[in-house]
Amino acid sequence: MELLSALSLGELALSFSRVPLFPVFDLSYFIVSILYLKYEPGAVELSRRHPMASWLCAMLHCFGSYILADLLLGEPPVDYFSNNSSILLASAVWYLIFFCPLDLFYKCVCFLPVKLIFVAMKEVVRVRKIAVGIHHAHHHYHHGWLVMIATGWVKGSGVALMSNFEQLLRGVWKPETSEILHMSFPTKASLYGAILFTLQQTRWLPVSKASLIFIFTMFMVSCKVFLMATHSHSSPFDVLEGYICPVLFGSAWGSDHHHDNHGGSQGGTGPGPSHSALPTKSKEELSEGSRKKKTKKAD
């Protein structure tokens, strides 16, 4: 019985909420964040031509959520950059991922079992940041629910929300890729998590903060690890949104893609001509390719 009481959910959640994030969990957060930067088209070439711009983009990936949260609360956006230990650690990770000889560090952290561990640890940091952000906003605005939700949201997904600004540092401008228009699973989960933690902070959700942190962290870790292990781009919220959004908003969330796909056929006489144009184009390409091959043989 003593063992069972020691392993109770409340004590386990309380112990889990007291685990320090620095340096192990923060290191995992920096590794995954800068990995996503390296996956961006042209990021490797940018690091060779303009290393300072690449470093700034890496810092935004690591600390963008803190910058946005400080801006929302009217605090200095460079305040977190006074944390020398985190800046040096993130800078070291950036250098190893982009400039390590033979890409050894990049290959090691990209090994799927290792990467899944880092992803799981990153979600621990994300949930903790949401909870801390809402607590901080509640200290300034006791009854500002919207302020608390917004602060928690940007704390959890600030990097994605300011992705267009980060693209500008790389010389890219794609407003159609705004995270607000195409929310990913972490952005939606951060928003829903911010709502839950706001309800808990204002005593509308009868659960302790430590228990909510533990439960929501387990949910985020399970979902992210499963989605990455299966290489899936779907969201666990898709089924629920498919039922709720048509009732509340008249269409499913993200249904604009379907309208865009069918926009061309609505302007014509029907779907028939649009389908018949594809074989014609492919035949022209084939004939052009065969003509080029004949020309090469003749040369």
Side-chain angles (χ1 to χ4, degrees):
M1 293 297 295
E2 293 180 358
L3 179 61
L4 291 177
S5 61
L7 295 177
S8 63
L9 178 60
E11 294 185 3
L12 178 62
L14 185 61
S15 302
F16 178 77
S17 65
R18 292 176 177 174
V19 173
L21 297 180
F22 187 86
V24 178
F25 287 91
D26 282 343
L27 176 63
S28 302
Y29 184 88
F30 297 154
I31 288 175
V32 177
S33 298
I34 299 177
L35 274 180
Y36 289 155
L37 171 62
K38 190 168 184 176
Y39 295 155
E40 293 291 333
V44 177
E45 292 77 7
L46 179 71
S47 65
R48 302 299 188 270
R49 297 194 310 268
H50 308 287
M52 180 55 67
S54 177
W55 179 82
L56 286 174
C57 291
M59 295 304 102
L60 282 181
H61 273 260
C62 295
F63 308 113
S65 58
Y66 299 100
I67 296 174
L68 277 183
D70 288 339
L71 289 174
L72 282 178
L73 298 177
E75 298 179 352
V78 297
D79 185 56
Y80 195 82
F81 286 89
S82 62
N83 191 338
N84 296 327
S85 300
S86 296
I87 296 297
L88 290 175
L89 183 60
S91 300
V93 171
W94 164 77
Y95 186 85
L96 289 173
I97 287 181
F98 280 94
F99 301 102
C100 182
L102 303 178
D103 268 349
L104 291 179
F105 185 79
Y106 172 74
K107 292 175 182 177
C108 291
V109 298
C110 276
F111 182 53
L112 186 58
V114 177
K115 188 178 179 181
L116 291 178
I117 296 175
F118 288 145
V119 168
M121 297 175 75
K122 180 184 178 181
E123 296 309 310
V124 175
V125 179
R126 187 197 304 275
V127 176
R128 196 79 65 87
K129 286 166 62 178
I130 295 174
V132 171
I134 289 174
H135 178 78
H136 187 50
H138 181 263
H139 179 73
H140 291 278
Y141 303 93
H142 294 285
H143 303 288
W145 284 37
L146 185 59
V147 177
M148 287 187 278
I149 292 174
T151 305
W153 187 28
V154 300
K155 276 279 192 175
S157 59
V159 180
L161 294 174
M162 63 186 310
S163 59
N164 290 109
F165 178 73
E166 184 269 332
Q167 289 173 357
L168 284 178
L169 293 179
R170 294 188 282 112
V172 179
W173 175 242
K174 295 181 179 179
E176 69 276 3
T177 62
S178 172
E179 186 71 15
I180 300 295
L181 298 177
H182 311 286
M183 287 191 187
S184 59
F185 164 70
T187 303
K188 291 182 180 180
S190 298
L191 177 58
Y192 299 148
I195 295 174
L196 291 176
F197 279 101
T198 299
L199 292 174
Q200 189 279 329
Q201 187 70 46
T202 54
R203 309 299 186 206
W204 283 85
L205 189 62
V207 63
S208 66
K209 180 180 292 186
S211 298
L212 184 58
I213 289 176
F214 180 77
I215 294 172
F216 195 70
T217 300
M218 293 301 105
F219 168 75
M220 290 295 296
V221 168
S222 303
C223 291
K224 281 292 293 183
V225 170
F226 175 78
L227 292 175
M228 180 158 290
T230 58
H231 302 285
S232 174
H233 297 285
S234 60
S235 170
F237 303 122
D238 288 343
V239 177
L240 184 62
E241 291 169 357
Y243 285 104
I244 295 178
C245 292
V247 176
L248 296 179
F249 308 112
S251 62
W253 199 335
S255 62
D256 55 327
H257 300 290
H258 300 286
H259 292 298
D260 292 340
N261 293 337
H262 295 291
S265 62
Q266 290 175 356
T269 56
S274 61
H275 290 294
S276 61
L278 294 176
T280 306
K281 185 177 180 180
S282 61
K283 289 178 182 178
E284 292 176 356
E285 292 175 351
L286 290 174
S287 61
E288 184 179 356
S290 61
R291 187 175 67 254
K292 289 181 179 179
K293 289 181 180 179
K294 292 180 180 179
T295 306
K296 290 181 179 180
K297 289 181 180 179
D299 293 337

